[in-house]
Each structure stands twice: as structure tokens, then as C-alpha cells.
Amino acid sequence: MDVIESLHSRSDDTTPVPRHVAIIMDGNGRWAKARRLPRIAGHKQGVEAVRRVSKAAREQGVEVLTLYAFSSENWRRPEEEVRDLMGLLRHFLKNELKDLVAENVRLRVIGDYRALSGDLVAMIDDAIAKTSVNTGATLVIALNYGAQAEIVAAARRLASAAQAGEITADAIDEAMFSDALTTHGLPPLDLLIRTSGEQRLSNFLLWQAAYAELLFVDTLWPDFDAAALADALAQFGRRQRRFGGL
Ligand code: IPE
Ligand code: IPE
Ligand code: MG
């Protein structure tokens, strides 16, 4: 079999599909700038990409899709942009809940979303509750999320438990620590994609990315689609994961 053929045969149904994919959805602002549009126009197209790509991920067999929607550092943006982003989130939750229920998707949120405005917190809690019985794919949205804060919160929780005598310090291991993170119970992260050409993690899933395959693509998030996802999954399928072994 020549190289091309063997590459081909790996993209058939024997190719391993990542169970858990995370995406740093970056490049909305640049997408808008290239069209001389206001940044909000890029964020609006970004929401369309979320709809498109989350549906495609389910169709392509991904069990869990985790999307970085708003970082704990994004509060540093101009007030108007933060307001626009929260408005789009409100819109998304309102419109998407029906579809999530119809498509048997469970919604989870990671990050300190309780610091968002009260109506958003209520909408998020409602969407989580209404989809909690679903048994299909899981959509995880990272809102006001920062990995360092998540790790500190887990350390604090375990330290309190130790102080209260519920656990001993020696009992704390990787499994217990993982369970104290907001991603507890989710399958390990297999593939982490960042769009827009930037090659950094920007405080996303630092613990969970320990053995994830990393993929940086130049496509701006509003242009990311089912074909781009399929391409990312195919690239994942060609990676050789070793986990420190041979
Ligand atoms: C990603 O696009 C969306 C969020 C961070 C909310 P950006 O808004 O960061 O777009 P660029 O990086 O300025 O192009
Ligand atoms: C990361 O993108 C956060 C999200 C995609 C929500 P940023 O655009 O905020 O990251 P930096 O500031 O370029 O690192
Ligand atoms: Mg950016």
C-alpha cells in the first residue's frame, strides 16, 4: 500500500474518533475586521458556527464537545463588547434549548457562570435542568472560565475536606483531583482545537489538556464548518498517541 492509500484507508470507519473535543473559538473580531464590519458582526457569525459545528460534531460521532465561549479574562474587553457577547448568549440559550432537548443533548457549563447577570444564570440553570435527563451527546460551554481558577478551586475544596477530616492529604491523587474539577465525569480530553492561527491555550483546560492532541488551524471561527471539523478529526486519526509509552 502506498502512502496516499494508507492515509486514505485510515480515514474510513476504522479511524478513531475523539470522544471529547474542545475548541478555543477564536477569530471573530478579525473575521469582522476583514469585512470592515463591527466586531459584533463577527460574534454573530460565531454563534452560527457554534450551531453548525455542534451539530456536525454529533453527526461525526463526537460524544462531548467543549466550547470556550467567554474566558475569565474576557471581562477586560470594552464594556460594550461584553454586553454584546452576553446578549448573544441570551439569544443562543433562548433559541437553542428546544433543539438541544429535541436532539437529546445534555448541556453542561463550566466556569464561574454564577457571576453573570441574574437572568442569564436562571436561563443557564433552566437549560441544564431541562437537558439533564438527555442521554445523547454532551455540549459543554465554558463561560467566565479560567483553568487556573478552576485548579485553585479544586485545591481549596480538597484542602477543606482534609481540614474537616473527611479525607487525608495522602489520599489526594490525580483521580481525586480530576473529580474535584468542573469537568468531573466527562471522558478525557482527546483533541483541543484553536482556530484563527493563534497558538496558545489562553487559560483553557490546562489540567485536562495533559495528553490531548493539539491542533491549531488558521481558519477564523466564523468560517469553521462541518468540513473543517471532519478535517480536524481526520488529522486526529493520523496522530499516534503514546501517553509516555512506546
Ligand atoms: C473569539 O473571537 C470570541 C471570544 C473571545 C468571545 P475574538 O473576539 O477573540 O476575535 P479576535 O481574536 O479579536 O479576532
Ligand atoms: C480565548 O480567546 C477565549 C475564547 C475563545 C473565549 P481570546 O481571544 O480571549 O484569547 P487571547 O486574549 O488572544 O489570548
Ligand atoms: Mg481572540
Side-chain angles (χ1 to χ4, degrees):
M1 209 190 288
D2 67 19
V3 177
I4 300 296
E5 235 172 52
S6 77
L7 282 177
H8 249 281
S9 72
R10 300 193 69 161
S11 60
D12 62 17
D13 53 11
T14 63
T15 305
V17 175
R19 291 182 69 194
H20 185 175
V21 176
I23 308 182
I24 301 173
M25 309 182 288
D26 200 12
N28 295 352
R30 279 162 283 170
W31 184 94
K33 191 170 182 206
R35 287 164 181 75
R36 297 169 190 276
L37 294 169
R39 292 178 58 85
I40 174 78
H43 294 313
K44 276 189 185 149
Q45 286 306 307
V47 175
E48 289 310 310
V50 167
R51 289 210 179 90
R52 195 163 66 220
V53 174
S54 53
K55 187 160 177 280
R58 296 196 282 279
E59 287 167 0
Q60 293 175 34
V62 173
E63 277 173 54
V64 180
L65 179 68
T66 300
L67 299 175
Y68 205 4
F70 194 86
S71 77
S72 46
E73 288 74 34
N74 285 146
W75 296 109
R76 294 178 186 155
R77 295 190 177 197
E79 226 180 281
E80 193 192 340
E81 175 155 347
V82 171
R83 207 178 319 118
D84 284 344
L85 286 167
M86 295 302 154
L88 286 175
L89 175 62
R90 203 168 272 122
H91 213 253
F92 176 81
L93 288 166
K94 206 177 285 170
N95 293 324
E96 219 55 14
L97 182 57
K98 260 196 317 323
D99 287 357
L100 293 177
V101 170
E103 294 192 30
N104 198 21
V105 177
R106 194 194 320 239
L107 178 74
R108 250 170 96 158
V109 171
I110 58 173
D112 187 14
Y113 73 91
R114 293 191 181 279
L116 305 184
S117 74
D119 71 313
L120 270 172
V121 175
M123 285 175 82
I124 292 166
D125 283 336
D126 179 56
I128 292 172
K130 287 202 171 112
T131 61
S132 64
V133 294
N134 290 352
T135 53
T138 299
L139 176 65
V140 184
I141 302 187
L143 288 173
N144 192 19
Y145 175 88
Q148 291 183 336
E150 177 189 34
I151 291 168
V152 168
R156 207 176 274 147
R157 201 165 313 129
L158 294 176
S160 299
Q163 215 165 26
E166 293 156 16
I167 56 167
T168 64
D170 284 346
I172 300 172
D173 59 7
E174 288 91 330
M176 192 186 281
F177 205 93
S178 286
D179 282 344
L181 295 170
T182 56
T183 49
H184 61 86
L186 296 174
L189 182 61
D190 294 311
L191 175 63
L192 174 60
I193 303 169
R194 184 173 188 142
T195 59
S196 88
E198 307 296 343
Q199 303 193 1
R200 56 177 170 268
L201 296 181
S202 300
N203 204 14
F204 192 44
L205 301 179
L206 298 182
W207 169 282
Q208 296 84 347
Y211 265 105
E213 293 296 324
L214 307 181
L215 182 65
F216 300 101
V217 299
D218 288 335
T219 312
L220 301 173
W221 175 249
D223 292 326
F224 204 82
D225 59 10
L229 180 72
D231 188 55
L233 300 195
Q235 291 199 51
F236 173 85
R238 292 193 291 270
R239 299 272 181 97
Q240 196 195 5
R241 304 182 82 187
R242 302 174 75 157
F243 301 100
L246 288 181

